Amino acid sequence: ILNVEQSPQSLHVQEGDSTNFTCSFPSSNFYALHWYRWETAKSPEALFVMTLNGDEKKKGRISATLNTKEGYSYLYIKGSQPEDSATYLCAFSNSNSGYALNFGKGTSLLVTP
Amino acid sequence: DAGITQSPRHKVTETGTPVTLRCHQTENHRYMYWYRQDPGHGLRLIHYSYGVKDTDKGEVSDGYSVSRSKTEDFLLTLESATSSQTSVYFCAITGGQGYNEQFFGPGTRLTVL
């Protein structure tokens, strides 16, 4: 089992605020880092897969960065909207974990108008 | 849409009864997974399969068994359900985008009384 830590555990922001969360993972034998968006009563939805140190990915107002040497990734949301309210999961795999992903416990984001 | 369905979507059962959950996929993916989701724990891997009749244990496999007799179906069985197995169960497959990206089914909410 590979330990993946996400912080903060929960976050409450006002509409229009920008926010960011952190995912920390073991840096040895890195293979890939995934971000998922998970709305209540739905299934997790893939946002990004990142594989290279220094990778940056962007989808609309959401972006992510990756540092494989120090073992962390940041997810940024610019100008949060109420529809961004969800739990954001990161998941990590290394070259020893086969096809399994190790999930963090998620950051729960609430955006209020 | 990764063509994943789960059945049943909701089930209430009594302690000690056997329960089987079914995951069905239509796109011939080799890897399939069963997770459980509980508050404070995120997603935890129960079992996974890497082909017909090829399965392996995950982080929380005690009390669960799986079978995969056809590529499209991955069954999760609770031989004798306990209240601690009350949870939401998600099936996932590894899609064709590489880097172990997983796509999730809609989930099954199981309540063991």
Side-chain angles (χ1 to χ4, degrees), chain B residues 14-34:
Chain B
E14 293 187 351
T15 298
T17 60
V19 176
T20 296
L21 308 183
R22 178 180 182 237
C23 177
H24 179 78
Q25 54 127 338
T26 59
E27 298 185 6
N28 210 35
H29 295 291
R30 180 181 172 194
Y31 285 80
M32 300 183 74
Y33 310 81
W34 276 107

Side-chain angles (χ1 to χ4, degrees), chain A residues 43-90:
Chain A
S43 52
E45 173 190 348
L47 282 173
F48 305 117
V49 181
M50 294 188 289
T51 58
L52 298 175
N53 186 44
D55 242 356
E56 291 189 28
K57 299 273 185 171
K58 187 174 182 181
K59 185 183 289 188
R61 294 178 291 98
I62 305 176
S63 60
T65 62
L66 178 66
N67 183 322
T68 62
K69 296 187 186 307
E70 297 180 40
Y72 64 84
S73 174
Y74 294 136
L75 187 79
Y76 301 92
I77 302 179
K78 184 178 178 182
S80 303
Q81 299 296 308
E83 57 265 32
D84 295 328
S85 298
T87 295
Y88 292 84
L89 293 172
C90 78

Side-chain angles (χ1 to χ4, degrees), chain A residues 5-79:
Chain A
E5 300 285 343
Q6 289 189 247
S7 62
Q9 184 176 2
S10 63
L11 197 54
H12 181 187
V13 301
Q14 297 296 312
E15 182 175 357
D17 289 349
S18 292
T19 187
N20 66 85
F21 337 124
T22 304
C23 173
S24 302
F25 52 86
S27 57
S28 60
N29 303 314
F30 176 85
Y31 184 61
L33 191 285
H34 303 250
W35 281 101
Y36 287 84
R37 181 172 181 274
W38 193 3
E39 291 183 70
T40 302
K42 295 187 178 180
S43 52
E45 173 190 348
L47 282 173
F48 305 117
V49 181
M50 294 188 289
T51 58
L52 298 175
N53 186 44
D55 242 356
E56 291 189 28
K57 299 273 185 171
K58 187 174 182 181
K59 185 183 289 188
R61 294 178 291 98
I62 305 176
S63 60
T65 62
L66 178 66
N67 183 322
T68 62
K69 296 187 186 307
E70 297 180 40
Y72 64 84
S73 174
Y74 294 136
L75 187 79
Y76 301 92
I77 302 179
K78 184 178 178 182

Side-chain angles (χ1 to χ4, degrees), chain B residues 8 13 23 27 35 48 51 55 63 70-71 81 101:
Chain B
T13 191
C23 177
E27 298 185 6
Y35 292 90
Y48 67 98
T55 65
K70 299 185 290 183
T71 299
E101 187 171 25

